[in-house]
Amino acid sequence: MGKTKENIFDVRLFVRLFKFMKPYKMVFSFVFIAVIFIAVLGVATPSLLQQAIDENLTTKTKEGFLFYILLMIGLLVLEFAVQLFFIFYSGWLGQTVVKDIRVKLFNHLLRFKMKYYDNSSVGVLITRAVTDMERIADVFSEGLFMIFRDLLTMVVVSGFMIYMSWQLSIIVFLMLPLVLYATLVFQKYMKKAFEEVRTEVSNLNSFVQERITGMKILQLFARETIEYDKFKAINQRHKKGWLKTIWYNSIFFPIAELSSSITIGLVVWYGGLHAVVDSVATQGVLFAFVMFIPKLFRPLRQIADKFNALQMGMVAANRVFRVLDTTSQIDDTGTLLANDFKGAITFDKVYFNYVEDETVLKGISFQVNAGETVAIVGSTGAGKSTIINLLNRFYEIQSGSITIDGVDIKDVTLSSLRTQIAVVLQDVFLFADTILNNITLNNPDITENEVVQAAKDIGIHDFIASLPNGYHYNVKERGIMLSSGQRQLISFLRAYVTNPSILVLDEATSSVDSYSEQLIQNATYKITKGRTSIVIAHRLATIKKADKIIVMDSGEIVEQGTHSELLKIENGYYRNLYEVQFLKDEVA
């Protein structure tokens, strides 16, 4: 793999990228034909000029001169039209291919395990899905076709030059090795420079995204100056990466221009000197060569320039394909559809760890009967939320089994499994959209009338109706326009409208005001009624009426029973929790 990175052009990577162009092979063919036309038209005008000079200007003959002029004008118009077609459709092809790759990438990301996101930078993934995609588009619009056009133009121009005067062609060709060598060296160093640039762009995106998201924390702890200094350092490295590319460009392009100018001077000198003596070239041929030389050297310079775009695109493609090649999906091999769970849940000797050799759940076993409300309590890190993650198959267990209604959840399709389980989290995530869309998540099967009725059922319609535009109120990014209690109520309604068979409340009443807590408790009673519910809570007041309470500590179940049964256990874990929370309140 390391050896491949050193290659100036990765053929296997390009072939893989090229496969995305197959559905558009008709457009590709037309663009390819346009490239051939452009190369031929590139030599037509100088050739006509040569004939006009030799047959008309040199001999001072008017006959046929107007024909050459009109023909050149027609060819220039045709070249303009072909160039327009070529530039538009090569760009169209690039953007269309990138659209397909981006859709495939996003679909891939949607199915990653949560473990992948636990270990990945959001900023880097955004760079892969957005910035890197634009660089891949450049492979087609500014790289591949442009390079092929310039190479073909050089071949055709060289052929015509040899046909007109092999002696003058030798002078031109003697200068080409210098430019070719400079081009190869330039490409080698630019490849390394662009890899460094892409790395620094990812680092910069990641840093900025995280700091903007966590701006409140930075300001609360007065970290502005420290983070400002960190940003300056990262930005400086980003600048250094780009300056390398600028430095290489500033060396190469003057060399290319100087080589072209020297070649023109040598051709004019040699051709003019020997034109009369030994008829090396006519005046028309000299004029044609003066036009041909830029058409030969400029494409060579442009090839290096376009190769930059091609290399940046290939580096970006390599990064994107690396994500696409990541196998971090939950195995969705189940064939059963969970259309209507009764809700009997069984954990049987379940072992699980997020990190190898650090067991989080240590062979836990418990049962939840259909329609029961079961509470899970314990200190932070005891494994409560892990149970919810495993029930939804966000992670795979190491051993044991989890069944619902006697069916192993691995035998059920992921989509149908998760549609039957609704989760209300402590940290509610709302999108920058309307309340209605945040509740339905754009599910066309849930109407606005159903949402309104559901809100009335659980007692939060008045709160939503009091907002500007009601259900069409835009809550902005992460629901910043609402309080934490209001966001929690929205999440309750979001869970309720899906009519799940199993409901999970994960710390759903923590860190909310007393008014919102009362609404939440009323909503909890409504939505848990008649369906299997798992409630994770620190506040024991919310779980007194639970059919069963499971007490966890360090990944193990230490106690099980009803509220009254657990209070009877001398020096019991639950009893200690209860005394800490309630006896102190009574004293206060």
Side-chain angles (χ1 to χ4, degrees):
M1 188 71 181
K3 190 175 181 181
T4 304
K5 281 188 176 180
E6 294 301 319
N7 293 338
I8 290 177
F9 187 76
D10 191 333
V11 177
R12 286 180 298 178
L13 182 63
F14 177 75
V15 169
R16 184 175 181 183
L17 190 60
F18 193 81
K19 289 179 180 177
F20 284 91
M21 206 164 20
K22 282 187 176 179
Y24 314 103
K25 54 187 177 183
M26 184 68 72
V27 176
F28 174 80
S29 300
F30 282 125
V31 173
F32 184 80
I33 293 171
V35 168
I36 298 174
F37 267 101
I38 290 170
V40 173
L41 291 171
V43 299
T45 304
S47 299
L48 286 174
L49 180 62
Q50 175 258 321
Q51 294 181 49
I53 292 174
D54 289 340
E55 295 178 15
N56 298 100
L57 295 182
T58 303
T59 60
K60 297 182 180 180
T61 302
K62 291 183 178 180
E63 186 179 350
F65 184 66
L66 181 61
F67 170 75
Y68 283 124
I69 299 300
L70 293 175
L71 188 56
M72 280 192 283
I73 293 174
L75 287 174
L76 288 172
V77 172
L78 179 61
E79 185 176 8
F80 167 79
V82 175
Q83 287 276 17
L84 181 65
F85 177 90
F86 166 74
I87 293 172
F88 176 81
Y89 279 102
S90 62
W92 179 90
L93 194 59
Q95 290 298 328
T96 305
V97 167
V98 160
K99 176 207 69 175
D100 294 344
I101 298 176
R102 185 183 281 122
V103 167
K104 184 174 182 179
L105 176 66
F106 188 72
N107 186 51
H108 197 61
L109 291 172
L110 285 173
R111 285 157 178 77
F112 274 157
K113 298 177 185 176
M114 288 299 107
K115 186 175 182 179
Y116 179 85
Y117 294 105
D118 294 340
N119 301 319
S120 300
S121 165
V122 175
V124 169
L125 291 177
I126 290 173
T127 300
R128 298 292 171 269
V130 181
T131 310
D132 283 343
M133 288 297 176
E134 294 307 317
R135 299 289 76 79
I136 293 175
D138 292 341
V139 169
F140 301 97
S141 60
E142 296 183 19
L144 172 67
F145 292 118
M146 294 290 188
I147 291 174
F148 184 68
R149 179 198 65 183
D150 292 341
L151 282 174
L152 190 59
T153 299
M154 290 175 63
V155 170
V156 175
V157 167
S158 298
F160 266 77
M161 289 172 69
I162 294 172
Y163 171 77
M164 286 184 174
S165 173
W166 64 268
Q167 297 98 325
L168 294 182
S169 298
I170 289 176
I171 296 175
V172 177
F173 296 154
L174 285 174
M175 291 297 294
L176 280 180
L178 173 64
V179 182
L180 283 171
Y181 176 75
T183 301
L184 289 173
V185 173
F186 175 69
Q187 290 168 354
K188 178 181 177 181
Y189 282 96
M190 286 299 284
K191 167 80 171 178
K192 294 179 180 178
F194 280 132
E195 285 181 348
E196 184 178 336
V197 166
R198 297 311 312 146
T199 299
E200 295 304 330
V201 167
S202 294
N203 292 339
L204 190 63
N205 285 348
S206 180
F207 184 89
V208 172
Q209 188 271 334
E210 287 180 350
R211 269 57 186 182
I212 290 177
T213 302
M215 187 60 69
K216 187 174 183 179
I217 297 298
L218 298 185
Q219 294 183 357
L220 280 172
F221 289 90
R223 295 274 300 181
E224 293 92 339
T225 303
I226 295 173
E227 296 301 324
Y228 172 70
D229 291 337
K230 283 185 179 179
F231 178 79
K232 283 202 300 183
I234 293 174
N235 201 35
Q236 181 66 20
R237 292 199 301 269
H238 178 262
K239 172 191 166 186
K240 274 185 165 182
W242 275 110
L243 282 179
K244 282 185 182 179
T245 67
I246 294 170
W247 170 244
Y248 297 147
N249 278 309
S250 66
I251 294 174
F252 173 74
F253 288 112
I255 290 176
E257 285 294 333
L258 181 62
S259 301
S260 177
S261 300
I262 291 174
T263 305
I264 291 175
L266 288 173
V267 166
V268 172
W269 169 75
Y270 183 83
L273 187 64
H274 293 272
V276 178
V277 179
D278 46 17
S279 300
V280 169
T282 64
Q283 292 182 26
V285 170
L286 281 177
F287 269 97
F289 263 74
V290 170
M291 294 183 69
F292 276 141
I293 289 170
K295 287 180 177 291
L296 186 64
F297 279 77
R298 190 174 297 121
L300 189 59
R301 187 194 72 184
Q302 289 176 342
I303 285 173
D305 192 22
K306 299 308 177 187
F307 206 92
N308 295 344
L310 181 62
Q311 285 187 326
M312 284 192 75
M314 296 301 282
V315 170
N318 187 44
R319 295 172 184 270
V320 170
F321 286 141
R322 201 176 300 156
V323 178
L324 285 172
D325 291 339
T326 301
T327 54
S328 185
Q329 290 84 2
I330 295 289
D331 294 330
D332 191 8
T333 56
T335 56
L336 302 177
L337 293 177
N339 294 321
D340 188 18
F341 279 142
K342 292 178 181 174
I345 303 170
T346 301
F347 273 60
D348 184 23
K349 298 178 183 177
V350 173
Y351 283 85
F352 172 76
N353 57 267
Y354 293 103
V355 181
E356 193 173 353
D357 298 328
E358 294 182 16
T359 306
V360 177
L361 296 184
K362 303 171 183 177
I364 67 168
S365 298
F366 66 87
Q367 288 185 331
V368 180
N369 297 323
E372 277 189 341
T373 297
V374 174
I376 303 176
V377 300
S379 59
T380 301
K384 304 185 300 297
S385 295
T386 299
I387 289 175
I388 309 311
N389 289 331
L390 298 181
L391 186 62
N392 282 278
R393 289 198 70 199
F394 289 137
Y395 301 87
E396 295 283 27
I397 60 177
Q398 271 64 55
S399 64
S401 67
I402 303 173
T403 63
I404 300 178
D405 295 346
V407 178
D408 195 309
I409 60 174
K410 291 182 179 180
D411 296 331
V412 180
T413 63
L414 274 177
S415 179
S416 65
L417 172 69
R418 291 172 180 171
T419 55
Q420 290 294 305
I421 304 172
V423 182
V424 179
L425 298 171
Q426 175 185 0
D427 183 18
V428 179
F429 187 94
L430 297 182
F431 296 93
D433 206 335
T434 64
I435 287 180
L436 179 64
N437 288 339
N438 268 290
I439 293 169
T440 65
L441 296 178
N442 296 301
N443 184 346
D445 296 329
I446 304 175
T447 67
E448 183 173 352
N449 288 336
E450 289 173 337
V451 172
V452 172
Q453 186 57 52
K456 290 178 179 178
D457 290 344
I458 64 174
I460 65 172
H461 170 73
D462 292 341
F463 139 65
I464 298 175
S466 67
L467 297 171
N469 297 322
Y471 289 85
H472 298 279
Y473 178 63
N474 193 312
V475 299
K476 306 300 181 183
E477 188 174 1
R478 299 184 69 89
I480 193 65
M481 302 304 291
L482 301 177
S483 69
S484 59
Q486 291 172 329
R487 290 196 295 271
Q488 198 67 265
L489 290 170
I490 297 300
S491 70
F492 267 81
L493 184 53
R494 179 159 62 191
Y496 184 63
V497 294
T498 61
N499 192 28
S501 299
I502 299 171
L503 178 70
V504 178
L505 306 179
D506 189 357
E507 308 285 4
T509 58
S510 62
S511 67
V512 296
D513 58 86
S514 56
Y515 174 72
S516 296
E517 183 176 359
Q518 184 60 46
L519 288 177
I520 288 173
Q521 287 181 358
N522 292 338
T524 301
Y525 174 75
K526 290 275 189 180
I527 66 177
T528 57
K529 190 175 181 180
R531 60 168 54 92
T532 303
S533 304
I534 298 177
V535 180
I536 297 175
H538 279 303
R539 297 187 183 185
L540 303 187
T542 61
I543 60 172
K544 282 183 177 181
K545 297 178 181 179
D547 297 304
K548 183 194 296 181
I549 298 173
I550 297 173
V551 186
M552 296 189 65
D553 183 37
S554 301
E556 296 180 305
I557 296 175
V558 293
E559 294 174 358
Q560 290 190 61
T562 64
H563 172 71
S564 58
E565 289 171 347
L566 293 176
L567 286 181
K568 294 175 182 178
I569 301 175
E570 291 290 337
N571 296 319
Y573 194 100
Y574 181 82
R575 179 170 174 172
N576 289 335
L577 286 177
Y578 179 82
E579 290 174 351
V580 168
Q581 285 194 21
F582 289 95
L583 297 184
K584 285 188 177 180
D585 291 340
E586 291 174 7
V587 172

